[in-house]
Amino acid sequence: VNPAIESILGRRSIRRFQDREVPDECVRTLLDAAMAAPSACCKDPWHFVVVRDRGILAKLAEGLPNGQMLASAGVGLAVCANIDAAHDRLISYALQDCSAAIENVLLAAHALGLGAVWLGVHPRKGRMAHLADLLDLPANILPIAAIAIGWPAEHKEPRTRYDETKVHHEKW
Ligand SMILES: Cc1cc2nc3c(=O)[nH]c(=O)nc-3n(C[C@H](O)[C@H](O)[C@H](O)COP(=O)(O)O)c2cc1C
């Protein structure tokens, strides 16, 4: 199989992490990948808050009911959107742009041997308020998602969820 495709299929949500530091060079590579993603009209409305402080990671986790693993992650990324910078200032474009960046981070993390998991924030108002408050986000900066990243303490097999019934040819 093509190694790039193998890597895409090998990316899995990793929710258990080793107690081991993630080097700054790795974080830079993840951010390079994030900001290599496509964005509508190349507006790049994304911002990334890199969180390494264990106390802040624990507090972030407190406001994310399905994000407890963030407390034990080597690094957390809060992916945010500057709504004023988005194409036509439309939230839908900002969300699509940020989602593309998030997926690139997940794929890059896997390529580096790291593990990561996408933690949903937007559109849950409580989670958004929690991140905005904790990270001092300006009013025009919307928290979209968090990503917990670290050296994996669990292994998951590559897979696709390919489903013939989801594929339509020429017309529905
Ligand atoms: C928008 C979005 C929000 C998600 N939120 C969470 C979350 O809060 N907690 C979590 O553990 N996983 C979360 N995930 C990860 C999914 O549960 C995971 O991708 C899915 O179960 C498929 O498994 P895989 O990533 O290993 O292929 C989220 C994924 C997406 C796309």
Side-chain angles (χ1 to χ4, degrees), residues 5-70:
I5 303 299
E6 225 171 323
S7 191
I8 289 172
L9 301 185
R11 180 222 55 83
R12 297 294 311 276
S13 291
I14 296 300
R15 299 184 174 88
R16 291 163 50 82
F17 303 108
Q18 300 169 35
D19 183 14
R20 182 178 147 206
E21 204 197 324
V22 177
D24 284 334
E25 307 88 81
C26 288
V27 175
R28 174 54 200 263
T29 301
L30 298 181
L31 293 171
D32 275 334
M35 293 187 248
S39 84
C41 275
C42 210
K43 298 286 190 177
D44 301 0
W46 43 54
H47 285 258
F48 305 87
V49 183
V50 181
V51 181
R52 284 187 172 282
D53 183 278
R54 197 132 299 291
I56 301 178
L57 285 171
K59 280 190 185 153
L60 273 174
E62 280 173 22
L64 299 175
N66 303 316
Q68 294 313 297
M69 72 299 280
L70 202 48

Side-chain angles (χ1 to χ4, degrees), residues 20-170:
R20 182 178 147 206
E21 204 197 324
V22 177
D24 284 334
E25 307 88 81
C26 288
V27 175
R28 174 54 200 263
T29 301
L30 298 181
L31 293 171
D32 275 334
M35 293 187 248
S39 84
C41 275
C42 210
K43 298 286 190 177
D44 301 0
W46 43 54
H47 285 258
F48 305 87
V49 183
V50 181
V51 181
R52 284 187 172 282
D53 183 278
R54 197 132 299 291
I56 301 178
L57 285 171
K59 280 190 185 153
L60 273 174
E62 280 173 22
L64 299 175
N66 303 316
Q68 294 313 297
M69 72 299 280
L70 202 48
S72 56
V75 58
L77 278 189
V79 182
C80 306
N82 177 354
I83 192 65
D84 295 327
H87 180 43
D88 278 347
R89 300 181 71 181
L90 289 170
I91 177 81
S92 179
Y93 282 121
L95 290 170
Q96 293 173 72
D97 299 340
C98 286
S99 296
I102 293 164
E103 178 67 0
N104 268 12
V105 170
L106 300 181
L107 290 171
H110 177 64
L112 293 176
L114 289 160
V117 59
W118 181 330
L119 303 174
V121 175
H122 188 278
R124 303 288 183 202
K125 295 277 179 257
R127 300 182 198 179
M128 292 174 71
H130 179 74
L131 261 69
D133 182 49
L134 195 60
L135 304 176
D136 287 341
L137 303 181
N140 61 329
I141 304 296
L142 297 183
I144 307 302
I147 310 175
I149 301 156
W151 298 105
E154 63 175 336
H155 174 78
K156 290 188 176 176
E157 290 300 318
R159 69 162 188 207
T160 170
R161 299 193 299 285
Y162 181 85
D163 176 353
E164 193 74 47
T165 69
K166 304 286 178 71
V167 184
H168 310 266
H169 295 283
E170 319 309 343

